[in-house]
Amino acid sequence: MKNFKNFIGKVALVFCMALIVGVLGSESVFAANVGDQLNSPEAGWKRYGAEDKNFQYSFPPVWYGNKAFSDGTNKLLSVSFNFKGTKLRIIGYSGGDRSSDLSCIIDGKEEKFNQATVSQDNSLNYSKEGLENREHSVKIKTNVPGSYTGLNLTAIDIDVSGELKPYNENIQPSTLQIILNVEPEKNKIRLNETVSANLTIDNIKDIAAEDVRIKYDNSKLQFLGATEVDGIKLVKNDAKDGELRLILASKGSSNVVEAKKSLLKLNFKGIAAGDALVDVTKGRVSDGITMEKDLTDDQCGQATITIDNEALTDVNKDGQFTLLDLAIDGRHYSEDPATLTQYNTDIVVNKAIDDDDLTKIGEYMLANPNYKF
């Protein structure tokens, strides 16, 4: 009987301890997910409403209760602020008629999020944790001009010990330098225009191979392919919708990375208006001796390509650049474009048909995947 009582006592003690651990650990077990309704901040978080004076709106908000909505103008919109802490949540109204193409930019690093989900107030639209415990600059923005489907904000949640501050994009960034980056040759293009972006490596030496993953906004950009550069072999080019996996190797010791270097040219075409993000999401490098290491998120860069609403028109207006377009401009070289209304001869707009037009048509022709020779 004594042994039985001891056994029951031990079981009760274990049960109580498990219950205590479960209660204390409930914050992590029941942590909210994006898409959940959060009518109040969870333990470890505190909330700032959209009416707080530290929020900087690029538009005059229309208020529905405590919710700030865009004013119906057909333009890109943003809300900016700073905060001190390690985590951030964006709380807003979600619904099928809201925008599905929004971005949250923290310290210059952009991530997409979506308010076009189940219809509900106080919806957790975006969540970011694991940031360095310091002051961060934040911009929430639309990527496509829109009125009703623009931007709305109810509140943000941050660390319970954190602080909301006025917007200042010039705060001290991370001391880590970007190693793998995407650098477009132009940051603004027109619809149907092609653009090349250099995949570059910098701020590191003695590197002989790279493994890179890139995400791009395939709702606004079409990936046309990659072009090798001298001294670098493209070993693998795995292209899926919106994602690239690229493995590259130096051709000999003379091509090992010792300074900033272009590894590859990525070719895109603008297919819809708005801001399109091209983001190096993961990187791994090796020196070809003993070292192989993964890069941190801060060491992987990104770029935004803006596609203008105005469409790029080829010379004979048949929808694509070919040798015929080049020949038309060649035949009418130095003539006045205004007298050739049946054509769009002034590709590089300067009211003349000149070398710049011929060169640009040649670039577009070679970038046209339908032009094969």
Side-chain angles (χ1 to χ4, degrees):
M1 180 63 72
K2 183 176 180 180
N3 290 338
F4 179 76
K5 288 181 178 179
N6 288 338
F7 172 74
I8 293 298
K10 289 178 180 179
V11 170
L13 178 61
V14 170
F15 176 80
C16 290
M17 291 178 66
L19 182 62
I20 292 170
V21 170
V23 171
L24 292 177
S26 61
E27 178 185 343
S28 60
V29 172
F30 298 106
N33 296 311
V34 170
D36 290 348
Q37 188 174 47
L38 273 182
N39 292 321
S40 59
E42 291 188 308
W45 299 78
K46 68 178 175 182
R47 181 161 295 184
Y48 289 91
E51 70 281 358
D52 192 284
K53 64 181 181 181
N54 288 301
F55 290 113
Q56 178 181 308
Y57 292 90
S58 70
F59 57 93
V62 177
W63 294 94
Y64 292 89
N66 63 341
K67 298 183 287 292
F69 281 78
S70 54
D71 59 354
T73 53
N74 187 31
K75 58 186 178 183
L76 299 176
L77 309 167
S78 65
V79 182
S80 305
F81 58 92
N82 282 24
F83 80 98
K84 185 179 185 302
T86 64
K87 54 189 181 180
L88 169 69
R89 285 174 170 174
I90 297 172
I91 312 298
Y93 172 76
S94 63
D97 56 357
R98 308 312 305 168
S99 177
S100 61
D101 194 353
L102 300 165
S103 289
C104 180
I105 305 173
I106 303 177
D107 300 331
K109 189 72 173 177
E110 183 172 355
E111 293 183 346
K112 294 292 190 72
F113 72 97
N114 176 14
Q115 289 183 327
T117 58
V118 61
S119 180
Q120 66 181 5
D121 285 325
N122 297 320
S123 182
L124 176 53
N125 299 145
Y126 172 87
S127 182
K128 184 72 173 180
E129 299 187 39
L131 298 169
E132 186 180 348
N133 190 15
R134 62 175 178 86
E135 185 173 348
H136 304 276
S137 67
V138 180
K139 177 176 283 188
I140 306 167
K141 71 182 186 74
T142 58
N143 293 311
V144 177
S147 52
Y148 184 66
T149 59
L151 178 64
N152 77 84
L153 178 69
T154 302
I156 65 162
D157 290 352
I158 62 173
D159 312 55
V160 71
S161 59
E163 180 183 1
L164 182 63
K165 295 187 172 187
Y167 181 59
N168 174 17
E169 63 179 344
N170 297 317
I171 58 172
Q172 184 65 35
S174 171
T175 56
L176 291 175
Q177 294 178 304
I178 292 175
I179 292 177
L180 288 172
N181 203 5
V182 178
E183 299 182 3
E185 294 179 354
K186 293 197 297 183
N187 289 100
K188 187 172 183 179
I189 61 174
R190 292 182 287 177
L191 277 174
N192 301 320
E193 185 176 356
T194 58
V195 63
S196 293
N198 291 299
L199 173 62
T200 62
I201 186 167
D202 196 7
N203 301 308
I204 197 169
K205 292 184 177 182
D206 204 23
I207 299 300
E210 302 83 15
D211 193 349
V212 187
R213 290 185 183 271
I214 294 174
K215 288 187 177 181
Y216 66 94
D217 187 346
N218 63 333
S219 68
K220 302 182 186 68
L221 289 174
Q222 177 187 355
F223 179 61
L224 301 177
T227 305
E228 290 184 326
V229 300
D230 290 343
I232 303 294
K233 173 64 178 176
L234 178 59
V235 177
K236 182 179 180 65
N237 178 10
D238 186 9
K240 300 177 182 178
D241 286 345
E243 295 187 25
L244 305 174
R245 169 88 181 276
L246 307 164
I247 301 178
L248 305 114
S250 299
K251 295 181 178 180
S253 59
S254 62
N255 291 303
V256 167
V257 173
E258 297 294 349
K260 184 174 182 179
K261 188 180 186 73
S262 177
L263 299 173
L264 192 69
K265 281 189 178 294
L266 306 173
N267 304 308
F268 296 97
K269 177 181 178 180
I271 57 174
D275 290 337
L277 180 66
V278 184
D279 185 13
V280 180
T281 57
K282 291 182 72 175
R284 178 177 293 168
V285 296
S286 174
D287 62 2
I289 304 172
T290 58
M291 184 275 287
E292 178 179 315
K293 71 173 184 178
D294 291 338
L295 302 181
T296 67
D297 188 55
D298 287 337
Q299 292 172 316
C300 297
Q302 59 181 206
T304 298
I305 299 173
T306 300
I307 300 97
D308 195 272
N309 269 316
E310 181 184 357
L312 176 67
T313 305
D314 62 296
V315 178
N316 67 346
K317 304 178 184 179
D318 69 350
Q320 57 184 338
F321 284 90
T322 67
L323 189 64
L324 177 57
D325 296 282
L326 183 63
I328 292 170
D329 263 40
R331 174 176 288 275
H332 296 284
Y333 187 87
S334 78
E335 294 182 24
D336 182 359
T339 66
L340 301 165
T341 56
Q342 71 273 38
Y343 299 125
N344 178 41
T345 53
D346 195 10
I347 299 299
V348 180
V349 180
N350 60 0
K351 298 182 179 180
I353 304 174
D354 53 18
D355 286 355
D356 290 341
D357 295 307
L358 298 181
T359 300
K360 185 56 68 175
I361 293 169
E363 291 177 7
Y364 291 150
M365 183 180 77
L366 293 174
N368 178 7
N370 296 319
Y371 182 75
K372 298 176 181 179
F373 178 71

